[in-house]
Amino acid sequence: MRCYVNIPHPISGTISSASFHPQQFQYTLDNNVLTLEQRKFYEENGFLVIKNLVPDADIQRFRNEFEKICRKEVKPLGLTVMRDVTISKSEYAPSEKMITKVQDFQEDKELFRYCTLPEILKYVECFTGPNIMAMHTMLINKPPDSGNCKKTSRHPLHQDLHYFPFRPSDLIVCAWTAMEHINRNNGCLVVLPGTHKGSLKPHDYPKWEGGVNKMFHGIQDYEENKARVHLVMEKGDTVFFHPLLIHGSGQNKTQGFRKAISCHFASADCHYIDVKGTSQENIEKEVVGIAHKFFGAENSVDLKDIWMFRARLVKGERTNL
């Protein structure tokens, strides 16, 4: 029997698994994968941890491919390579010490295997339904803080929906898999249970003294005293969470790099929206600006174009997205 959450020090009232009647389910679809208890937990809290889901052999393959990317032995089309703000101009030779994240690896067959793993998709379908699109892919290599107390390895509290120009939000889910032991010392995920029931909040760059990494937007207005849960995870553990769940990660206080691989999935029945005039307009301008540099300013690219370029059908039939 799989455990569904691993919390070293539960806080009274933080985690809830309230009584539900079937007609009250809003964030999960009828399925024969989740237990009733797991389904209730996700409905109430907006996240669910499945222990030991991804095999060690797969994780090692993902690690090997990431190292090849770092050494520039492979250069997948469309891949975005990111560096920490404190090491982007360093003298490091090509290695994992230079790169803190790769995203949009949909053209890398080895890394994209993660998005097609039957172990992952059988849970994803509980949230999206049978027609599944892989929308956004990342391998995160959280660096150790540089020793100058800048704490730039932190990720501010945010909602992933801020980045997404498609809806409905209840048919979107993130799968986030630990590639090694992850705890508060090396910067585990921190979540605010139940916040998926709220609305999308305005985001912008936090005013942190040590600087902030590119596109690390954070919520500008949230309840600072709201209970938080730190997700301590072992290699292969996978957390599934709603795109409105407020979450982030702490600084990496160790000397090593903390790795995780993730994909945001959505139902192919979702539809694109125009974010102009909304709180998402700031991220649209930033993303489109980067795309213009990549594709050339003469090419007219909008946010929908960028997401259509990233999206890949991984199960069922492609309908809207």
Side-chain angles (χ1 to χ4, degrees):
M1 177 114 181
R2 295 186 187 276
C3 297
Y4 58 89
V5 67
N6 179 10
I7 301 165
H9 304 291
I11 301 171
S12 178
T14 297
I15 299 298
S16 173
S17 186
S19 297
F20 279 85
H21 297 291
Q23 63 269 27
Q24 293 177 295
F25 288 119
Q26 177 180 344
Y27 305 105
T28 57
L29 303 174
D30 291 340
N31 64 85
N32 59 5
V33 175
L34 299 180
T35 66
L36 181 59
E37 187 179 9
Q38 288 174 325
R39 199 172 173 189
K40 288 178 181 178
F41 186 93
Y42 187 90
E43 290 281 335
E44 187 65 19
N45 297 288
F47 71 97
L48 183 69
V49 177
I50 304 297
K51 302 291 291 179
N52 196 30
L53 184 63
V54 177
D56 287 357
D58 286 309
I59 290 176
Q60 186 58 50
R61 288 177 63 175
F62 302 146
R63 182 182 288 268
N64 293 344
E65 184 70 3
F66 174 70
E67 291 173 357
K68 288 181 181 179
I69 291 171
C70 293
R71 294 193 300 264
K72 299 184 178 181
E73 293 175 12
V74 293
K75 298 179 180 180
L77 178 68
L79 187 77
T80 301
V81 176
M82 303 180 76
R83 297 176 175 84
D84 188 272
V85 66
T86 62
I87 63 174
S88 59
K89 296 180 180 179
S90 72
E91 298 298 321
Y92 281 131
S95 73
E96 71 167 9
K97 293 182 178 180
M98 287 239 354
I99 296 174
T100 58
K101 183 191 294 185
V102 294
Q103 61 182 28
D104 305 328
F105 55 68
Q106 63 274 357
E107 294 298 329
D108 186 302
K109 291 182 180 179
E110 187 64 17
L111 289 183
F112 195 73
R113 285 181 55 254
Y114 173 76
C115 306
T116 65
L117 290 176
E119 301 94 329
I120 293 288
L121 291 181
K122 79 172 186 178
Y123 282 97
V124 169
E125 190 169 346
C126 301
F127 310 103
T128 64
N131 299 321
I132 306 173
M133 301 292 294
M135 299 299 294
H136 185 230
T137 52
M138 292 189 297
L139 193 153
I140 304 152
N141 188 42
K142 182 188 276 286
D145 273 303
S146 55
N148 54 12
C149 301
K150 290 188 176 182
K151 304 178 182 178
T152 54
S153 69
R154 293 176 296 172
H155 198 303
L157 290 174
H158 64 285
Q159 297 164 297
D160 289 341
L161 194 67
H162 171 65
Y163 298 91
F164 303 158
F166 44 91
R167 300 292 189 275
S169 60
D170 293 344
L171 295 179
I172 303 169
V173 70
C174 179
W176 194 100
T177 298
M179 294 178 65
E180 58 197 283
H181 175 68
I182 295 178
N183 58 22
R184 293 187 70 169
N185 205 35
N186 62 4
C188 66
L189 287 181
V190 58
V191 300
L192 277 60
T195 50
H196 66 302
K197 299 176 184 178
S199 59
L200 180 60
K201 298 180 180 296
H203 290 57
D204 210 335
Y205 283 108
K207 295 176 174 59
W208 287 350
E209 185 178 345
V212 185
N213 282 303
K214 198 143 188 80
M215 288 192 283
F216 273 31
H217 289 197
I219 291 174
Q220 302 300 292
D221 177 28
Y222 64 91
E223 299 177 42
E224 291 192 12
N225 296 325
K226 191 167 181 62
R228 303 181 184 189
V229 173
H230 294 84
L231 300 183
V232 175
M233 300 170 68
E234 300 299 330
K235 182 166 66 171
D237 293 356
T238 301
V239 59
F240 297 89
F241 61 92
H242 191 280
L244 282 172
L245 182 74
I246 297 175
H247 66 288
S249 65
Q251 67 184 111
N252 182 357
K253 301 174 185 177
T254 72
Q255 295 303 306
F257 286 71
R258 187 272 277 161
K259 292 180 176 60
I261 189 168
S262 73
C263 179
H264 284 90
F265 297 92
S267 168
D269 299 324
C270 288
H271 59 274
Y272 290 103
I273 64 166
D274 186 353
V275 301
K276 289 182 175 58
T278 74
S279 66
Q280 293 177 257
E281 192 167 11
N282 59 346
I283 192 64
E284 178 185 43
K285 289 179 180 178
E286 188 169 350
V287 171
V288 169
I290 292 170
H292 281 165
K293 290 181 181 178
F294 185 80
F295 293 109
E298 69 279 1
N299 293 302
S300 178
V301 179
D302 62 20
L303 199 58
K304 179 181 176 181
D305 294 330
I306 295 167
W307 282 98
M308 289 182 71
F309 174 76
R310 291 170 167 166
R312 296 292 185 275
L313 180 72
V314 290
K315 187 175 182 180
E317 297 180 357
R318 190 165 189 168
T319 51
N320 291 335
L321 288 181

